């Protein structure tokens, strides 16, 4: 089961890097097949300032939904764990 660990430091560029990592991780998965989904674990950490002005639980729910949807389309059943930290230190 693939495991990705990522502790970002700054908002939008971090999300872009995370999406790129997800694309690389799932690039070899079958698309549009009726095969069972392969389980995968994605562990991600954000600092509180990464989503300034957005409620933390809303951001987590949106990220989880986005990641699961991409994973499903690429043939993976992704379990997402999101951790939030006060700072990058």
């Amino acid at each position: 089961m693939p495991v990705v660990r990522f502790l970002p430091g700054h908002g939008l560029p971090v999300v872009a890097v995370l999406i790129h990592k997800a694309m690389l991780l799932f690039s070899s998965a079958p698309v549009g097949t009726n095969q069972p989904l392969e389980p995968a674990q994605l562990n991600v950490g954000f600092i509180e300032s990464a989503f300034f002005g957005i409620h933390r639980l809303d951001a987590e729910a949106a990220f989880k939904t986005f990641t699961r949807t991409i994973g499903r389309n690429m043939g993976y059943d992704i379990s997402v764990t999101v951790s939030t930290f006060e700072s990058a230190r």
Side-chain angles (χ1 to χ4, degrees):
M1 176 184 309
V3 175
V4 177
R5 297 178 195 279
F6 190 68
L7 296 174
H10 304 291
L12 188 57
V14 168
V15 173
V17 169
L18 187 58
I19 291 169
H20 182 259
K21 285 182 175 266
M23 289 171 59
L24 290 175
L25 178 64
F26 304 119
S27 64
S28 63
V31 177
T33 63
N34 290 330
Q35 305 262 341
L37 298 177
E38 182 177 335
Q41 175 69 37
L42 178 66
N43 299 318
V44 63
F46 293 108
I47 60 171
E48 290 178 355
S49 64
F51 297 104
F52 185 75
I54 300 173
H55 192 275
R56 180 182 59 81
L57 294 178
D58 291 340
E60 284 184 23
F63 181 79
K64 287 178 179 183
T65 300
F66 174 74
T67 304
R68 288 180 186 135
T69 301
I70 289 178
R72 213 174 293 120
N73 290 338
M74 301 301 288
Y76 289 88
D77 179 20
I78 300 178
S79 175
V80 182
T81 302
V82 176
S83 299
T84 306
F85 304 95
E86 281 188 31
S87 71
R89 294 182 182 178

